[in-house]
Amino acid sequence: NGVRQLLVGGDIVSVPHAKKAMQIEGLKLINGYGPTESTTFACSYLITEEDVNQGAIPIGRPIANTRTYIVNPSNQLQPVGVPGELCIAGDGLARGYLNRPELTAEKFVDNPFEPGGQMYRTGDLARWLPDGNLEYLGRIDEQVKIRGYRIETGEIVHVLLQHTDVKEAVVVARKDEQGESYLCAYVASLGIFSASELRTYLKRSLPEYMVPSYLVEVEQIPLTANGKVDRNALPEPQGLLQTTGEYAAPRSETEAKLAAIWQDVLGLSQPVSIRDDFFELGGHSLKATQLMARIQKQLDASVTLSEVFARPTVEMLAGYLETAAILERYEAISPAAPREAYPASPAQQRM
């Protein structure tokens, strides 16, 4: 009480903390953004009740004598709403890094929009909002490639933090035993944690390939001594999977075979319950395709990808396989005999 103006910065603003601070009558809460290379501040934004209710707090507009740009890897300006690297220019820009000419040359570059000037490449991912403010989305070095798609984990975190029950969240890329990359989200919740409900919520705003394979609840996000996320302290998702309930054993030969296939495809050490959801156990479209191939090979049955999504439990899929007339003999394709030249395919012939 008595504080009239509070400036916050240094990291992404905590929406629950901002909401609590704004309960103080007459307090102006300002979000400040800017790296040390731009003399600490580059942008500012007066936080409103609408911002905290929506769960998204912009970093605002450039302060006086400062200019900001959102550019793509070719240094071309990005249009409104399209993410890109945030670059800063203006009177507050530092000269460079002391005794580090290579890093200075990498980060402090010629400004293509101001001949003779310089700009600093922050490495931060941001985008312009329609009202002229900037929205911070995370670090560019947090970009990961999952199943051929380049993903900014900050965008997923941004959506997670808009959920009313999510207090803190971080998304990281991990590799499974087969060397395939997958997304894992760690969530500190305010209420009852439900991976199924949270996954459904994410699917409303994100494409399937951006929905984390694992959603793990933690008491709090571990931090390093300087207040950044300590990714090395985050637990492995194996053994922390959210299942749909108590273990239910297979009741038929088909269910037993499907459960064994699921366990192998998902790389799980524990048995799969016939009521566990394939996608809540870490499955995704690529693993669903592997599942289809294994079902055809071991059960002589053909199942489509849409059926796997529509029937994501062993119980449901087994019931479908046992009642539908979809048996299809599996035949392995034998390698062609070695020869100097092979016939061209129709696509090659057109070329």
Side-chain angles (χ1 to χ4, degrees), residues 12 15-16 54-56 135 137 152-172 183-190 193-203 205-206 210-217 221:
I12 299 174
V15 174
Q54 292 180 349
E135 181 181 31
L137 300 173
E152 287 84 19
T153 57
E155 292 191 47
I156 306 173
V157 172
H158 177 72
V159 176
L160 280 169
L161 291 176
Q162 293 183 49
H163 193 281
T164 54
D165 290 337
V166 174
K167 179 174 63 175
E168 297 176 296
V170 63
V171 178
V172 299
L183 293 172
C184 181
Y186 297 88
V187 176
S189 62
L190 292 168
F193 179 77
S194 171
S196 177
E197 192 275 333
L198 200 54
R199 181 172 281 104
T200 301
Y201 165 78
L202 290 174
K203 287 180 178 178
S205 305
L206 299 174
M210 289 184 70
V211 177
S213 300
Y214 299 102
L215 290 164
V216 179
E217 184 181 22
I221 302 298

CSV table of all heavy atoms in Angstrom, one decimal, residues 12 15-16 54-56 135 137 152-172 183-190 193-203 205-206 210-217 221:
chain,number,residue,atom,x,y,z
A,12,ILE,N,9.5,-13.2,-18.2
A,12,ILE,CA,8.1,-13.2,-18.6
A,12,ILE,C,7.3,-12.9,-17.3
A,12,ILE,O,7.5,-13.5,-16.3
A,12,ILE,CB,7.6,-14.5,-19.2
A,12,ILE,CG1,8.4,-14.8,-20.5
A,12,ILE,CG2,6.1,-14.5,-19.5
A,12,ILE,CD1,8.1,-16.1,-21.1
A,15,VAL,N,1.4,-14.0,-14.7
A,15,VAL,CA,0.0,-13.4,-14.7
A,15,VAL,C,-0.6,-13.5,-13.3
A,15,VAL,O,-1.2,-12.5,-12.9
A,15,VAL,CB,-0.8,-14.2,-15.8
A,15,VAL,CG1,-2.3,-13.7,-15.7
A,15,VAL,CG2,-0.3,-13.9,-17.2
A,16,PRO,N,-0.5,-14.6,-12.6
A,16,PRO,CA,-1.1,-14.6,-11.2
A,16,PRO,C,-0.5,-13.5,-10.3
A,16,PRO,O,-1.3,-12.9,-9.6
A,16,PRO,CB,-0.8,-16.0,-10.7
A,16,PRO,CG,-0.6,-16.8,-11.9
A,16,PRO,CD,0.0,-15.9,-12.9
A,54,GLN,N,-7.0,-12.0,-19.7
A,54,GLN,CA,-6.8,-12.8,-20.9
A,54,GLN,C,-5.6,-13.7,-20.8
A,54,GLN,O,-5.4,-14.6,-21.6
A,54,GLN,CB,-6.7,-11.9,-22.1
A,54,GLN,CG,-8.0,-11.2,-22.5
A,54,GLN,CD,-7.8,-10.3,-23.7
A,54,GLN,OE1,-6.6,-10.0,-24.1
A,54,GLN,NE2,-8.9,-9.8,-24.3
A,55,GLY,N,-4.7,-13.4,-19.8
A,55,GLY,CA,-3.5,-14.2,-19.6
A,55,GLY,C,-2.4,-13.9,-20.5
A,55,GLY,O,-1.5,-14.7,-20.6
A,56,ALA,N,-2.4,-12.8,-21.2
A,56,ALA,CA,-1.4,-12.4,-22.1
A,56,ALA,C,-1.0,-11.0,-21.9
A,56,ALA,O,-1.8,-10.1,-22.0
A,56,ALA,CB,-1.8,-12.6,-23.6
A,135,GLU,N,4.5,-8.5,-28.6
A,135,GLU,CA,4.3,-9.6,-27.7
A,135,GLU,C,5.5,-10.5,-27.7
A,135,GLU,O,6.0,-10.9,-28.8
A,135,GLU,CB,3.1,-10.4,-28.2
A,135,GLU,CG,2.7,-11.6,-27.3
A,135,GLU,CD,1.6,-12.4,-27.9
A,135,GLU,OE1,1.3,-12.4,-29.1
A,135,GLU,OE2,0.9,-13.0,-27.0
A,137,LEU,N,7.5,-14.0,-27.3
A,137,LEU,CA,7.1,-15.4,-27.4
A,137,LEU,C,8.1,-16.4,-26.9
A,137,LEU,O,7.8,-17.5,-26.8
A,137,LEU,CB,6.8,-15.7,-28.9
A,137,LEU,CG,5.7,-14.9,-29.5
A,137,LEU,CD1,5.6,-15.1,-31.0
A,137,LEU,CD2,4.3,-15.2,-28.9
A,152,GLU,N,8.4,-23.2,-32.1
A,152,GLU,CA,8.8,-22.3,-31.1
A,152,GLU,C,8.1,-22.8,-29.8
A,152,GLU,O,6.9,-22.6,-29.7
A,152,GLU,CB,8.5,-20.9,-31.4
A,152,GLU,CG,9.4,-20.2,-32.4
A,152,GLU,CD,8.9,-20.5,-33.8
A,152,GLU,OE1,7.7,-20.9,-34.0
A,152,GLU,OE2,9.7,-20.4,-34.8
A,153,THR,N,8.8,-23.3,-28.8
A,153,THR,CA,8.2,-23.8,-27.6
A,153,THR,C,7.5,-22.6,-26.8
A,153,THR,O,6.6,-22.9,-26.1
A,153,THR,CB,9.2,-24.5,-26.7
A,153,THR,OG1,10.3,-23.6,-26.4
A,153,THR,CG2,9.8,-25.7,-27.4
A,154,GLY,N,8.0,-21.4,-27.0
A,154,GLY,CA,7.4,-20.3,-26.4
A,154,GLY,C,6.0,-20.1,-26.7
A,154,GLY,O,5.2,-19.6,-25.9
A,155,GLU,N,5.6,-20.4,-28.0
A,155,GLU,CA,4.2,-20.3,-28.4
A,155,GLU,C,3.3,-21.3,-27.6
A,155,GLU,O,2.2,-20.9,-27.2
A,155,GLU,CB,4.1,-20.5,-29.9
A,155,GLU,CG,4.7,-19.4,-30.7
A,155,GLU,CD,4.4,-19.6,-32.2
A,155,GLU,OE1,3.2,-19.7,-32.5
A,155,GLU,OE2,5.3,-19.5,-33.0
A,156,ILE,N,3.8,-22.5,-27.3
A,156,ILE,CA,3.1,-23.5,-26.6
A,156,ILE,C,2.9,-23.0,-25.1
A,156,ILE,O,1.9,-23.1,-24.5
A,156,ILE,CB,3.8,-24.8,-26.7
A,156,ILE,CG1,4.0,-25.2,-28.1
A,156,ILE,CG2,2.9,-25.9,-26.0
A,156,ILE,CD1,4.8,-26.5,-28.3
A,157,VAL,N,4.0,-22.5,-24.6
A,157,VAL,CA,4.0,-22.0,-23.2
A,157,VAL,C,3.0,-20.9,-23.1
A,157,VAL,O,2.2,-20.8,-22.1
A,157,VAL,CB,5.4,-21.5,-22.7
A,157,VAL,CG1,5.3,-20.8,-21.4
A,157,VAL,CG2,6.3,-22.7,-22.7
A,158,HIS,N,3.0,-20.0,-24.1
A,158,HIS,CA,2.0,-18.9,-24.1
A,158,HIS,C,0.6,-19.3,-24.0
A,158,HIS,O,-0.2,-18.8,-23.3
A,158,HIS,CB,2.2,-18.1,-25.4
A,158,HIS,CG,1.3,-16.9,-25.5
A,158,HIS,ND1,1.4,-15.8,-24.8
A,158,HIS,CD2,0.2,-16.7,-26.4
A,158,HIS,CE1,0.4,-14.9,-25.1
A,158,HIS,NE2,-0.3,-15.5,-26.1
A,159,VAL,N,0.2,-20.4,-24.8
A,159,VAL,CA,-1.1,-20.9,-24.7
A,159,VAL,C,-1.4,-21.6,-23.4
A,159,VAL,O,-2.5,-21.4,-22.8
A,159,VAL,CB,-1.3,-21.9,-25.9
A,159,VAL,CG1,-2.7,-22.5,-25.8
A,159,VAL,CG2,-1.2,-21.2,-27.2
A,160,LEU,N,-0.4,-22.3,-22.8
A,160,LEU,CA,-0.6,-23.0,-21.6
A,160,LEU,C,-0.9,-22.0,-20.4
A,160,LEU,O,-1.8,-22.2,-19.6
A,160,LEU,CB,0.6,-23.8,-21.2
A,160,LEU,CG,0.8,-25.2,-21.9
A,160,LEU,CD1,2.2,-25.7,-21.6
A,160,LEU,CD2,-0.3,-26.1,-21.4
A,161,LEU,N,-0.2,-20.9,-20.5
A,161,LEU,CA,-0.3,-19.9,-19.4
A,161,LEU,C,-1.6,-19.1,-19.4
A,161,LEU,O,-2.0,-18.5,-18.4
A,161,LEU,CB,0.8,-18.8,-19.5
A,161,LEU,CG,2.2,-19.4,-19.1
A,161,LEU,CD1,3.3,-18.3,-19.3
A,161,LEU,CD2,2.3,-19.9,-17.7
A,162,GLN,N,-2.4,-19.2,-20.5
A,162,GLN,CA,-3.7,-18.6,-20.6
A,162,GLN,C,-4.8,-19.5,-20.0
A,162,GLN,O,-5.9,-19.0,-19.7
A,162,GLN,CB,-4.0,-18.4,-22.1
A,162,GLN,CG,-3.2,-17.3,-22.7
A,162,GLN,CD,-3.6,-17.0,-24.2
A,162,GLN,OE1,-4.7,-16.8,-24.4
A,162,GLN,NE2,-2.6,-17.0,-25.1
A,163,HIS,N,-4.4,-20.7,-19.6
A,163,HIS,CA,-5.4,-21.6,-18.9
A,163,HIS,C,-5.5,-21.1,-17.5
A,163,HIS,O,-4.5,-20.8,-16.8
A,163,HIS,CB,-4.9,-23.1,-19.0
A,163,HIS,CG,-5.9,-24.0,-18.6
A,163,HIS,ND1,-6.3,-24.3,-17.3
A,163,HIS,CD2,-6.8,-24.8,-19.4
A,163,HIS,CE1,-7.2,-25.2,-17.2
A,163,HIS,NE2,-7.5,-25.5,-18.5
A,164,THR,N,-6.7,-21.1,-17.0
A,164,THR,CA,-6.9,-20.6,-15.7
A,164,THR,C,-6.3,-21.4,-14.5
A,164,THR,O,-6.0,-20.8,-13.5
A,164,THR,CB,-8.5,-20.5,-15.4
A,164,THR,OG1,-9.0,-21.8,-15.6
A,164,THR,CG2,-9.1,-19.5,-16.3
A,165,ASP,N,-6.0,-22.7,-14.8
A,165,ASP,CA,-5.5,-23.5,-13.7
A,165,ASP,C,-3.9,-23.6,-13.8
A,165,ASP,O,-3.3,-24.3,-13.0
A,165,ASP,CB,-6.1,-24.9,-13.8
A,165,ASP,CG,-7.5,-24.9,-13.3
A,165,ASP,OD1,-7.9,-24.0,-12.6
A,165,ASP,OD2,-8.3,-25.8,-13.7
A,166,VAL,N,-3.3,-23.0,-14.8
A,166,VAL,CA,-1.9,-23.1,-15.0
A,166,VAL,C,-1.2,-21.9,-14.3
A,166,VAL,O,-1.4,-20.8,-14.7
A,166,VAL,CB,-1.5,-23.2,-16.5
A,166,VAL,CG1,0.0,-23.2,-16.6
A,166,VAL,CG2,-2.1,-24.5,-17.0
A,167,LYS,N,-0.3,-22.2,-13.4
A,167,LYS,CA,0.5,-21.1,-12.7
A,167,LYS,C,1.8,-20.8,-13.5
A,167,LYS,O,2.2,-19.7,-13.7
A,167,LYS,CB,0.7,-21.5,-11.3
A,167,LYS,CG,1.6,-20.4,-10.5
A,167,LYS,CD,1.6,-20.8,-9.0
A,167,LYS,CE,2.4,-22.1,-8.8
A,167,LYS,NZ,2.6,-22.4,-7.4
A,168,GLU,N,2.5,-21.9,-13.8
A,168,GLU,CA,3.8,-21.8,-14.5
A,168,GLU,C,3.9,-23.0,-15.5
A,168,GLU,O,3.3,-24.0,-15.3
A,168,GLU,CB,5.0,-21.9,-13.5
A,168,GLU,CG,5.1,-20.8,-12.5
A,168,GLU,CD,6.2,-21.0,-11.5
A,168,GLU,OE1,6.2,-22.0,-10.8
A,168,GLU,OE2,7.2,-20.2,-11.5
A,169,ALA,N,4.7,-22.8,-16.5
A,169,ALA,CA,4.8,-23.8,-17.5
A,169,ALA,C,6.1,-23.7,-18.3
A,169,ALA,O,6.6,-22.5,-18.5
A,169,ALA,CB,3.6,-23.8,-18.5
A,170,VAL,N,6.7,-24.8,-18.7
A,170,VAL,CA,7.8,-24.7,-19.6
A,170,VAL,C,7.7,-26.0,-20.5
A,170,VAL,O,7.2,-27.0,-20.1
A,170,VAL,CB,9.2,-24.8,-18.8
A,170,VAL,CG1,9.3,-26.0,-18.0
A,170,VAL,CG2,10.3,-24.6,-19.7
A,171,VAL,N,8.1,-25.8,-21.8
A,171,VAL,CA,8.1,-26.9,-22.7
A,171,VAL,C,9.5,-27.1,-23.3
A,171,VAL,O,10.2,-26.2,-23.7
A,171,VAL,CB,7.1,-26.5,-23.9
A,171,VAL,CG1,7.2,-27.7,-25.0
A,171,VAL,CG2,5.7,-26.3,-23.4
A,172,VAL,N,9.9,-28.4,-23.3
A,172,VAL,CA,11.3,-28.7,-23.7
A,172,VAL,C,11.1,-29.9,-24.7
A,172,VAL,O,10.1,-30.6,-24.7
A,172,VAL,CB,12.2,-29.2,-22.6
A,172,VAL,CG1,12.4,-28.0,-21.6
A,172,VAL,CG2,11.7,-30.4,-21.9
A,183,LEU,N,7.9,-33.5,-27.7
A,183,LEU,CA,7.7,-32.3,-26.8
A,183,LEU,C,7.2,-32.8,-25.4
A,183,LEU,O,6.4,-33.7,-25.3
A,183,LEU,CB,6.7,-31.4,-27.4
A,183,LEU,CG,7.2,-30.6,-28.6
A,183,LEU,CD1,6.0,-29.8,-29.2
A,183,LEU,CD2,8.3,-29.7,-28.4
A,184,CYS,N,7.7,-32.2,-24.4
A,184,CYS,CA,7.3,-32.5,-23.0
A,184,CYS,C,7.0,-31.2,-22.3
A,184,CYS,O,7.9,-30.3,-22.3
A,184,CYS,CB,8.3,-33.3,-22.3
A,184,CYS,SG,7.9,-33.7,-20.6
A,185,ALA,N,5.8,-31.0,-21.8
A,185,ALA,CA,5.4,-29.8,-21.0
A,185,ALA,C,5.4,-30.1,-19.5
A,185,ALA,O,4.9,-31.1,-19.1
A,185,ALA,CB,4.1,-29.4,-21.5
A,186,TYR,N,6.0,-29.2,-18.8
A,186,TYR,CA,6.0,-29.3,-17.3
A,186,TYR,C,5.1,-28.1,-16.8
A,186,TYR,O,5.3,-27.0,-17.2
A,186,TYR,CB,7.4,-29.2,-16.8
A,186,TYR,CG,8.3,-30.3,-17.2
A,186,TYR,CD1,9.0,-30.3,-18.4
A,186,TYR,CD2,8.4,-31.5,-16.4
A,186,TYR,CE1,9.8,-31.3,-18.8
A,186,TYR,CE2,9.2,-32.5,-16.8
A,186,TYR,CZ,9.9,-32.4,-18.0
A,186,TYR,OH,10.7,-33.5,-18.4
A,187,VAL,N,4.1,-28.5,-16.0
A,187,VAL,CA,3.1,-27.5,-15.6
A,187,VAL,C,3.0,-27.5,-14.0
A,187,VAL,O,2.9,-28.5,-13.4
A,187,VAL,CB,1.7,-27.9,-16.2
A,187,VAL,CG1,0.7,-26.9,-15.7
A,187,VAL,CG2,1.8,-27.9,-17.7
A,188,ALA,N,3.1,-26.3,-13.5
A,188,ALA,CA,2.7,-26.1,-12.1
A,188,ALA,C,1.3,-25.5,-12.1
A,188,ALA,O,1.1,-24.4,-12.6
A,188,ALA,CB,3.7,-25.1,-11.4
A,189,SER,N,0.4,-26.3,-11.5
A,189,SER,CA,-1.0,-25.9,-11.6
A,189,SER,C,-1.5,-25.2,-10.3
A,189,SER,O,-1.0,-25.3,-9.3
A,189,SER,CB,-1.9,-27.1,-11.9
A,189,SER,OG,-1.8,-28.1,-10.8
A,190,LEU,N,-2.6,-24.5,-10.5
A,190,LEU,CA,-3.3,-23.8,-9.4
A,190,LEU,C,-4.5,-24.6,-8.9
A,190,LEU,O,-4.9,-24.4,-7.8
A,190,LEU,CB,-3.9,-22.5,-9.9
A,190,LEU,CG,-2.8,-21.4,-10.2
A,190,LEU,CD1,-3.5,-20.2,-11.0
A,190,LEU,CD2,-2.1,-20.9,-9.0
A,193,PHE,N,-4.9,-31.0,-11.5
A,193,PHE,CA,-4.2,-31.2,-12.7
A,193,PHE,C,-4.8,-32.4,-13.5
A,193,PHE,O,-5.0,-33.5,-13.0
A,193,PHE,CB,-2.7,-31.5,-12.5
A,193,PHE,CG,-1.9,-31.7,-13.7
A,193,PHE,CD1,-1.5,-30.7,-14.5
A,193,PHE,CD2,-1.6,-33.0,-14.1
A,193,PHE,CE1,-0.8,-30.9,-15.7
A,193,PHE,CE2,-0.9,-33.3,-15.3
A,193,PHE,CZ,-0.5,-32.2,-16.1
A,194,SER,N,-5.2,-32.1,-14.7
A,194,SER,CA,-5.8,-33.1,-15.6
A,194,SER,C,-5.1,-33.0,-17.0
A,194,SER,O,-5.3,-32.1,-17.7
A,194,SER,CB,-7.3,-32.9,-15.8
A,194,SER,OG,-7.8,-33.8,-16.8
A,195,ALA,N,-4.2,-34.0,-17.3
A,195,ALA,CA,-3.5,-34.0,-18.5
A,195,ALA,C,-4.5,-34.1,-19.7
A,195,ALA,O,-4.3,-33.4,-20.7
A,195,ALA,CB,-2.5,-35.1,-18.6
A,196,SER,N,-5.5,-34.9,-19.5
A,196,SER,CA,-6.5,-35.1,-20.6
A,196,SER,C,-7.2,-33.8,-20.9
A,196,SER,O,-7.4,-33.4,-22.1
A,196,SER,CB,-7.5,-36.1,-20.2
A,196,SER,OG,-8.5,-36.3,-21.2
A,197,GLU,N,-7.7,-33.1,-19.9
A,197,GLU,CA,-8.4,-31.8,-20.1
A,197,GLU,C,-7.5,-30.7,-20.7
A,197,GLU,O,-7.9,-30.0,-21.5
A,197,GLU,CB,-9.0,-31.3,-18.7
A,197,GLU,CG,-10.0,-30.2,-18.8
A,197,GLU,CD,-9.3,-28.8,-18.9
A,197,GLU,OE1,-8.2,-28.7,-18.3
A,197,GLU,OE2,-9.9,-27.9,-19.5
A,198,LEU,N,-6.2,-30.7,-20.2
A,198,LEU,CA,-5.3,-29.7,-20.7
A,198,LEU,C,-4.9,-30.0,-22.1
A,198,LEU,O,-4.7,-29.1,-22.9
A,198,LEU,CB,-4.0,-29.8,-19.8
A,198,LEU,CG,-3.1,-28.5,-19.8
A,198,LEU,CD1,-3.9,-27.3,-19.5
A,198,LEU,CD2,-2.0,-28.7,-18.8
A,199,ARG,N,-4.8,-31.3,-22.5
A,199,ARG,CA,-4.5,-31.6,-23.9
A,199,ARG,C,-5.6,-31.2,-24.8
A,199,ARG,O,-5.4,-30.7,-25.9
A,199,ARG,CB,-4.2,-33.1,-24.0
A,199,ARG,CG,-3.9,-33.6,-25.4
A,199,ARG,CD,-3.4,-35.0,-25.5
A,199,ARG,NE,-2.0,-35.1,-25.0
A,199,ARG,CZ,-1.6,-35.6,-23.9
A,199,ARG,NH1,-2.6,-35.9,-23.0
A,199,ARG,NH2,-0.4,-35.7,-23.5
A,200,THR,N,-6.9,-31.4,-24.4
A,200,THR,CA,-8.0,-31.0,-25.1
A,200,THR,C,-8.0,-29.5,-25.3
A,200,THR,O,-8.3,-28.9,-26.4
A,200,THR,CB,-9.3,-31.4,-24.5
A,200,THR,OG1,-9.3,-32.9,-24.3
A,200,THR,CG2,-10.5,-31.0,-25.3
A,201,TYR,N,-7.6,-28.8,-24.3
A,201,TYR,CA,-7.6,-27.3,-24.3
A,201,TYR,C,-6.5,-26.8,-25.3
A,201,TYR,O,-6.8,-25.9,-26.1
A,201,TYR,CB,-7.2,-26.8,-22.9
A,201,TYR,CG,-6.8,-25.3,-22.9
A,201,TYR,CD1,-7.7,-24.3,-23.0
A,201,TYR,CD2,-5.4,-25.0,-22.8
A,201,TYR,CE1,-7.3,-23.0,-22.9
A,201,TYR,CE2,-5.0,-23.7,-22.7
A,201,TYR,CZ,-5.9,-22.7,-22.8
A,201,TYR,OH,-5.5,-21.4,-22.8
A,202,LEU,N,-5.4,-27.5,-25.3
A,202,LEU,CA,-4.3,-27.1,-26.3
A,202,LEU,C,-4.7,-27.4,-27.7
A,202,LEU,O,-4.4,-26.6,-28.6
A,202,LEU,CB,-3.0,-27.9,-26.0
A,202,LEU,CG,-2.3,-27.5,-24.7
A,202,LEU,CD1,-1.1,-28.5,-24.4
A,202,LEU,CD2,-1.8,-26.1,-24.7
A,203,LYS,N,-5.5,-28.4,-28.0
A,203,LYS,CA,-5.9,-28.8,-29.3
A,203,LYS,C,-6.8,-27.7,-29.9
A,203,LYS,O,-7.0,-27.7,-31.2
A,203,LYS,CB,-6.5,-30.2,-29.4
A,203,LYS,CG,-5.5,-31.3,-29.2
A,203,LYS,CD,-6.2,-32.6,-29.2
A,203,LYS,CE,-5.2,-33.8,-29.1
A,203,LYS,NZ,-5.9,-35.1,-29.1
A,205,SER,N,-6.3,-24.6,-29.8
A,205,SER,CA,-5.5,-23.4,-30.3
A,205,SER,C,-4.3,-23.8,-31.1
A,205,SER,O,-3.8,-23.0,-31.9
A,205,SER,CB,-5.1,-22.6,-29.2
A,205,SER,OG,-6.1,-22.1,-28.4
A,206,LEU,N,-3.8,-25.1,-31.0
A,206,LEU,CA,-2.6,-25.5,-31.6
A,206,LEU,C,-2.8,-26.7,-32.5
A,206,LEU,O,-3.7,-27.5,-32.3
A,206,LEU,CB,-1.6,-25.9,-30.5
A,206,LEU,CG,-1.2,-24.8,-29.5
A,206,LEU,CD1,-0.3,-25.4,-28.5
A,206,LEU,CD2,-0.4,-23.7,-30.2
A,210,MET,N,2.0,-29.7,-32.5
A,210,MET,CA,2.5,-28.8,-31.4
A,210,MET,C,2.0,-29.1,-30.0
A,210,MET,O,2.4,-28.5,-29.0
A,210,MET,CB,2.2,-27.3,-31.7
A,210,MET,CG,2.9,-26.7,-32.9
A,210,MET,SD,2.6,-25.0,-33.2
A,210,MET,CE,3.3,-24.2,-31.7
A,211,VAL,N,1.1,-30.1,-29.9
A,211,VAL,CA,0.6,-30.5,-28.6
A,211,VAL,C,1.6,-31.5,-28.0
A,211,VAL,O,2.0,-32.5,-28.6
A,211,VAL,CB,-0.8,-31.2,-28.8
A,211,VAL,CG1,-1.2,-31.8,-27.4
A,211,VAL,CG2,-1.8,-30.3,-29.4
A,212,PRO,N,2.2,-31.2,-26.8
A,212,PRO,CA,3.2,-32.0,-26.2
A,212,PRO,C,2.8,-33.4,-26.1
A,212,PRO,O,1.6,-33.7,-25.7
A,212,PRO,CB,3.4,-31.3,-24.9
A,212,PRO,CG,3.0,-29.9,-25.1
A,212,PRO,CD,1.9,-29.9,-26.0
A,213,SER,N,3.7,-34.4,-26.3
A,213,SER,CA,3.4,-35.8,-26.1
A,213,SER,C,3.2,-36.1,-24.6
A,213,SER,O,2.5,-37.0,-24.3
A,213,SER,CB,4.5,-36.6,-26.7
A,213,SER,OG,4.7,-36.4,-28.1
A,214,TYR,N,3.9,-35.4,-23.8
A,214,TYR,CA,3.8,-35.6,-22.3
A,214,TYR,C,3.4,-34.3,-21.6
A,214,TYR,O,4.0,-33.2,-21.9
A,214,TYR,CB,5.1,-36.1,-21.7
A,214,TYR,CG,5.5,-37.5,-22.3
A,214,TYR,CD1,6.5,-37.5,-23.3
A,214,TYR,CD2,4.9,-38.7,-21.9
A,214,TYR,CE1,6.9,-38.8,-23.8
A,214,TYR,CE2,5.3,-39.9,-22.4
A,214,TYR,CZ,6.3,-39.9,-23.4
A,214,TYR,OH,6.7,-41.1,-23.9
A,215,LEU,N,2.5,-34.4,-20.7
A,215,LEU,CA,2.2,-33.3,-19.8
A,215,LEU,C,2.4,-33.7,-18.4
A,215,LEU,O,1.7,-34.6,-17.9
A,215,LEU,CB,0.7,-32.9,-20.0
A,215,LEU,CG,0.3,-32.2,-21.4
A,215,LEU,CD1,-1.2,-32.3,-21.6
A,215,LEU,CD2,0.9,-30.8,-21.4
A,216,VAL,N,3.4,-33.1,-17.8
A,216,VAL,CA,3.9,-33.6,-16.4
A,216,VAL,C,3.6,-32.5,-15.4
A,216,VAL,O,4.0,-31.3,-15.6
A,216,VAL,CB,5.4,-33.9,-16.5
A,216,VAL,CG1,5.9,-34.4,-15.1
A,216,VAL,CG2,5.7,-35.0,-17.5
A,217,GLU,N,3.0,-32.8,-14.3
A,217,GLU,CA,2.8,-31.9,-13.3
A,217,GLU,C,4.0,-31.8,-12.3
A,217,GLU,O,4.5,-32.8,-11.9
A,217,GLU,CB,1.5,-32.2,-12.5
A,217,GLU,CG,1.2,-31.2,-11.4
A,217,GLU,CD,0.0,-31.5,-10.6
A,217,GLU,OE1,-0.4,-32.7,-10.5
A,217,GLU,OE2,-0.6,-30.6,-10.0
A,221,ILE,N,8.4,-24.9,-11.1
A,221,ILE,CA,9.4,-25.0,-12.2
A,221,ILE,C,10.8,-24.7,-11.6
A,221,ILE,O,11.0,-23.6,-10.9
A,221,ILE,CB,9.1,-23.9,-13.3
A,221,ILE,CG1,7.7,-24.2,-13.9
A,221,ILE,CG2,10.2,-24.0,-14.4
A,221,ILE,CD1,7.5,-25.5,-14.6
